[in-house]
């Protein structure tokens, strides 16, 4: 009798597990496969599809929402990194209505899942706004992402100064054998300048410039 009850319990769980895996695989299928060998600014373009609210609630951590009002927060699918052991993806978080004293912003988030959909770890790797700019470098295989995060020293320079002064932080991200994201500070508080492209989309950092 005991064995029969155990078998009935297993049979009742199997459809739920099967549906859960199907839902996760459907969620992951929307991420663009990565065909590059290196990271660059174009890797994180924001022209992908919005993630529906059901998938957001099931697969993205609540801790991502702390700096933005619920009404103004939404997400987009990014790219998927090839991995035999884990599911590694990038998500774009966009905040149209932030809390007080913050500009509307966009962030790139790195997430690591198990093959069955369990979230192992996540990290916000960049912050972009009218006064922030980011550069990306590094290799896809092995995974090593270098992020140069800049913030304008004086927000009043926005749209007034051609190459505003900024402060730059450089971080390195790797993923351990256990799926945990490792963040290392490479350099902090570097003085630089923001130099925008003609399209006004990406910007380069020029360090060690003379102060005007």
């Amino acid at each position: 009798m005991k064995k029969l009850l155990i078998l009935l319990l297993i049979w009742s769980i199997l459809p739920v597990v099967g549906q859960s895996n199907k839902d996760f695989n459907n969620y992951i299928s929307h991420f663009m496969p990565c065909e590059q060998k290196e990271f660059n600014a174009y890797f994180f373009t924001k022209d992908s599809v919005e993630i529906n609210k059901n998938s957001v609630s099931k697969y993205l951590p609540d801790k991502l929402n702390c700096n933005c009002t619920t009404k103004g927060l939404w997400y987009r699918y990014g790219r998927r990194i090839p991995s035999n052991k884990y599911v590694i993806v990038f998500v774009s978080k966009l905040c149209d209505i932030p809390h007080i004293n913050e500009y509307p912003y966009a962030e790139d988030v790195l997430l690591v899942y198990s093959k069955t959909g369990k979230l192992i770890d996540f990290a916000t790797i960049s912050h972009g706004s009218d006064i922030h700019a980011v550069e990306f470098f590094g290799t896809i295989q092995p995974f090593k992402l270098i992020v140069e995060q800049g913030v304008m020293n004086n927000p009043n320079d926005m749209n007034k100064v051609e190459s505003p002064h900024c402060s730059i932080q450089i971080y390195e991200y790797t993923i351990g054998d256990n799926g945990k994201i490792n963040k290392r500070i490479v350099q902090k508080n570097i003085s630089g300048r923001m130099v925008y492209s003609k399209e006004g989309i990406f910007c380069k950092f020029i360090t060690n410039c003379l102060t005007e």
Side-chain angles (χ1 to χ4, degrees):
M1 184 66 180
K2 186 177 181 180
K3 290 183 179 180
L4 179 60
L5 289 174
I6 293 173
L7 286 173
L8 289 172
L9 179 61
I10 293 173
W11 289 335
S12 67
I13 291 174
L14 283 175
V16 176
V17 173
Q19 183 61 44
S20 177
N21 288 341
K22 183 179 179 180
D23 291 345
F24 179 69
N25 291 335
N26 181 61
Y27 162 69
I28 293 301
S29 70
H30 289 84
F31 289 88
M32 296 176 287
C34 176
E35 299 177 352
Q36 301 174 208
K37 293 183 178 180
E38 298 181 344
F39 289 105
N40 55 41
Y42 295 93
F43 183 93
F44 295 93
T45 52
K46 305 294 189 298
D47 58 353
S48 55
V49 177
E50 181 179 354
I51 303 175
N52 65 56
K53 292 182 179 179
N54 182 51
S55 293
V56 168
S57 63
K58 288 180 69 173
Y59 302 116
L60 298 184
D62 291 336
K63 291 182 180 179
L64 291 180
N65 307 344
C66 56
N67 295 323
C68 190
T69 60
T70 303
K71 185 178 179 180
L73 180 66
W74 54 294
Y75 298 88
R76 281 180 170 176
Y77 292 100
R79 295 187 187 272
R80 184 173 75 250
I81 301 295
S83 172
N84 293 327
K85 195 172 184 180
Y86 301 108
V87 177
I88 304 171
V89 298
F90 289 93
V91 163
S92 295
K93 169 187 170 183
L94 299 103
C95 178
D96 296 332
I97 309 175
H99 291 305
I100 298 173
N101 298 326
E102 177 64 274
Y103 290 83
Y105 63 86
E107 292 179 335
D108 292 299
V109 183
L110 170 63
L111 302 108
V112 181
Y113 299 94
S114 70
K115 292 292 186 178
T116 58
K118 179 183 177 182
L119 180 63
I120 298 172
D121 203 3
F122 71 96
T124 299
I125 61 166
S126 73
H127 187 94
S129 74
D130 288 343
I131 63 169
H132 294 83
V134 188
E135 285 285 333
F136 301 99
F137 306 94
T139 57
I140 306 296
Q141 298 288 350
F143 186 96
K144 181 184 288 186
L145 173 61
I146 307 296
V147 180
E148 291 187 0
Q149 176 71 66
V151 59
M152 201 178 296
N153 291 348
N154 183 0
N156 292 325
D157 288 345
M158 185 172 52
N159 300 324
K160 297 179 182 178
V161 178
E162 183 176 354
S163 300
H165 292 271
C166 65
S167 177
I168 304 168
Q169 323 296 325
I170 304 179
Y171 304 100
E172 177 189 273
Y173 294 89
T174 57
I175 299 174
D177 291 337
N178 60 355
K180 294 293 184 180
I181 299 168
N182 303 310
K183 177 181 178 181
R184 183 175 72 89
I185 299 173
V186 179
Q187 283 183 281
K188 292 191 70 176
N189 302 322
I190 306 168
S191 295
R193 303 287 291 273
M194 291 184 178
V195 180
Y196 294 87
S197 68
K198 291 181 180 179
E199 294 82 7
I201 300 173
F202 307 116
C203 64
K204 289 273 188 183
F205 299 127
I206 300 179
T207 58
N208 302 321
C209 293
L210 294 175
T211 304
E212 293 180 347

